[in-house]
Amino acid sequence: MAVIELEKVRREFPDGTVAVRDIDLRIEDGEFVILVGPSGCGKSTLLRMIIGLEDVTSGTVRIDGEDMTDRQPRDRNLAMVFQDYALYPHLTVRENMEFPLRLAKREQGEINRAVDEAVAMLEIEELLDRKPAQLSGGQRQRVAMGRAMVRQPNAFLLDEPLSNLDAKLRVQMRLEISRLQDRLGVTTVYVTHDQTEAMTLGDRVAVMRKGTIQQIGTPRDLYLRPGNLFVAGFVGSPAMNFFPARVRDGRVELPMLSYDLPAGLRELGDMLEQRDVIAGIRPEHFAWIGAAGARDADVGVDDSDEAVRFRARIDVLEWLGSELYAHFHVTRGDRSGRERTSLHDVADELAEIGVRAPEEQLTVARIDPASEVTEGKEADIWLDTGRVHFFDADTGENLALTRSEPAATG
Ligand SMILES: Nc1ncnc2c1ncn2[C@@H]1O[C@H](COP(=O)(O)OP(=O)(O)OP(=O)(O)O)[C@@H](O)[C@H]1O
Ligand SMILES: [Mg+2]
């Protein structure tokens, strides 16, 4: 088992593309770390540099304290599982699993023991004599894991191992990988662009963008305290809603309502007033939604100053059984008219993964399935104002986190 340390690791391709920009990352022994981010952000390149399949332009890769930057993959004793599993089609399952050990010239007794152990753990006894073409996607995935396990590597490196599976199987295999990692306790780095996979699997999640790590933390940390607009938009499904906002004289002005800055944020008031601000609201922080005209008491919202109400027309209701999503329009407009290069940059990237830009009009709220609302009709919507995030419109930074103490609310 291994501690993996990356120090200012950079990968620049001959054509000038910088795929990984001076990344620092320390992965503890036995830890399960996820690299997540949109397509092209450098996840696979970083993983390949750890295992030694990709040259490191500058920086250092250390495994258990030893400099491995220029060492061959075989010297690192790490095992990689690829998206397409890369099983040998002409070999049986058993032969595929034996392969890395034969290559390492281990003796037959040892090979048998290692394979039998992995086979038992993965419950694939009945598949041993089949060829990969005779296996389902999930079974191939298991065999690929088995082939990685038999070597007793110091770490597993997995590059989107579940992306070829259908949704249901993906959920099942996700649980299996999680259990397996728990049992083996082997350091694991797992690449995915699926934020649900990232949030459910990892001890820590590194959100990547354009060859950098934007934020690394526990799933809970990333969700409750996103460091910037990109992380806030990337983590969570449906994604956070963004609105242009302004803070004046202790009041927050959003396109659909204004309210007093909540107690927990008052000390930030001056700082917020001096900036263009983007407000971020998660769908579940629209606390409740009811038929227009309902009184607060009718819908169980107390009149604490943390919840305020506005009215909007519900365009679309999406009912998923346990959850109900209401989509409504809020006319936003762009208050400042200033050029916001960095922000538009982020907005474009987020748009690619389905996040709506701050100027867009549609908003999504997750509401109580028992709410009495009708498509095409107006409804009262409560906003839990204690949960609103504020981002700097120029830098995208989460302004509540620039204080010495992290924000108490999410
Ligand atoms: N051999 C290469 N030469 C030049 N550019 C490359 C090469 N390989 C990758 N890149 C570029 O490096 C960047 C990072 O690629 P990488 O494969 O690491 O992304 P990724 O995050 O794994 O994306 P995906 O989710 O699509 O797999 C991309 O812009 C890609 O086009
Ligand atoms: Mg990739």
Side-chain angles (χ1 to χ4, degrees):
M1 283 181 271
V3 176
I4 299 171
E5 286 170 283
L6 308 179
E7 201 183 297
K8 300 243 171 314
V9 162
R10 184 180 183 88
R11 177 60 172 142
E12 211 169 320
F13 286 107
D15 67 357
T17 308
V18 183
V20 171
R21 288 174 195 273
D22 312 318
I23 282 183
D24 289 315
L25 176 64
R26 181 187 160 93
I27 298 163
E28 300 298 338
D29 190 13
E31 205 182 8
F32 197 156
V33 167
I34 311 285
L35 306 178
V36 68
S39 188
C41 70
K43 306 179 294 290
S44 297
T45 306
L46 190 59
L47 203 67
R48 290 163 55 81
M49 288 198 289
I50 295 173
I51 200 167
L53 293 172
E54 194 82 66
D55 286 342
V56 176
T57 307
S58 59
T60 311
V61 177
R62 268 190 223 97
I63 294 167
D64 279 336
E66 196 179 337
D67 188 343
M68 288 283 173
T69 316
D70 299 314
R71 300 275 283 277
Q72 292 298 313
R74 63 169 178 274
D75 297 333
R76 306 186 188 200
N77 194 29
L78 309 175
M80 184 139 169
V81 175
F82 298 89
Q83 179 177 345
D84 60 4
Y85 314 136
L87 298 173
Y88 301 107
H90 56 286
L91 299 183
T92 64
V93 166
R94 176 178 277 283
E95 288 161 346
N96 262 287
M97 290 177 68
E98 289 177 346
F99 192 83
L101 298 178
R102 289 208 185 288
L103 209 63
K105 305 221 170 7
R106 304 286 176 79
E107 49 178 84
Q108 190 61 46
E110 190 191 340
I111 294 179
N112 290 343
R113 270 195 305 280
V115 171
D116 289 346
E117 197 184 326
V119 163
M121 207 177 269
L122 293 162
E123 297 174 10
I124 50 174
E125 289 88 349
E126 69 282 12
L127 307 178
L128 285 174
D129 298 322
R130 297 204 203 163
K131 301 269 175 69
Q134 299 165 306
L135 301 175
S136 72
Q139 290 167 336
R140 268 178 229 166
Q141 209 283 326
R142 256 177 235 141
V143 175
M145 281 299 290
R147 191 177 56 180
M149 281 161 60
V150 294
R151 295 171 45 194
Q152 301 192 305
N154 288 327
F156 287 123
L157 306 177
L158 309 167
D159 195 351
E160 311 232 15
L162 305 184
S163 58
N164 285 340
L165 306 179
D166 66 45
K168 204 166 168 189
L169 194 53
R170 220 155 45 217
V171 174
Q172 186 193 330
M173 295 306 293
R174 199 163 79 200
L175 288 172
E176 279 188 25
I177 288 183
S178 183
R179 278 199 348 242
L180 200 62
Q181 205 272 345
D182 267 353
R183 275 171 70 185
L184 297 172
V186 176
T187 312
T188 303
V189 189
Y190 185 107
V191 163
T192 179
H193 59 260
D194 179 326
Q195 61 96 20
T196 310
E197 223 168 273
M199 298 294 273
T200 50
L201 273 175
D203 295 327
R204 281 193 304 159
V205 178
V207 179
M208 290 183 64
R209 172 181 178 234
K210 291 185 173 173
T212 67
I213 292 179
Q214 297 276 299
Q215 187 174 2
I216 179 162
T218 62
R220 188 185 156 83
D221 246 359
L222 296 182
Y223 193 80
L224 295 179
R225 286 187 281 277
N228 61 35
L229 206 64
F230 182 81
V231 175
F234 192 80
V235 170
S237 174
M240 191 182 274
N241 301 285
F242 295 117
F243 305 87
R246 199 162 66 172
V247 181
R248 291 287 177 274
D249 304 326
R251 280 182 74 77
V252 178
E253 296 172 15
L254 296 180
M256 61 286 196
L257 81 169
S258 59
Y259 59 90
D260 288 335
L261 202 58
L265 287 173
R266 263 173 221 153
E267 61 189 272
L268 284 181
D270 285 346
M271 197 240 285
L272 292 173
E273 294 194 14
Q274 287 156 17
R275 281 162 225 262
D276 282 329
V277 174
I278 302 275
I281 303 176
R282 293 210 183 273
E284 65 270 31
H285 294 149
F286 292 105
W288 180 278
I289 199 164
R295 281 171 305 143
D296 294 2
D298 296 338
V299 292
V301 174
D302 64 36
D303 54 5
S304 78
D305 59 356
E306 300 275 293
V308 292
R309 179 164 59 166
F310 62 98
R311 185 173 284 206
R313 203 185 78 112
I314 305 302
D315 290 312
V316 179
L317 286 172
E318 266 182 322
W319 192 64
L320 302 178
S322 61
E323 283 169 10
L324 179 61
Y325 294 108
H327 299 260
F328 54 93
H329 267 79
V330 170
T331 307
R332 287 166 164 83
D334 183 8
R335 281 183 202 281
S336 76
R338 257 209 278 160
E339 202 50 53
R340 291 176 188 153
T341 326
S342 62
L343 185 64
H344 279 127
D345 227 28
V346 171
D348 285 350
E349 273 172 81
L350 289 175
E352 279 173 29
I353 53 170
V355 180
R356 292 153 176 167
E359 298 81 20
E360 254 188 66
Q361 317 292 318
L362 259 188
T363 297
V364 58
R366 194 185 82 191
I367 61 176
D368 188 323
S371 298
E372 286 177 31
V373 286
T374 316
E375 279 182 13
K377 292 241 171 79
E378 287 219 320
D380 284 333
I381 301 171
W382 275 259
L383 169 64
D384 185 349
T385 57
R387 303 292 201 117
V388 177
H389 292 273
F390 294 99
F391 302 94
D392 187 310
D394 294 310
T395 64
E397 210 183 338
N398 185 339
L399 291 166
L401 299 186
T402 55
R403 289 185 298 171
S404 49
E405 271 187 352
T409 53

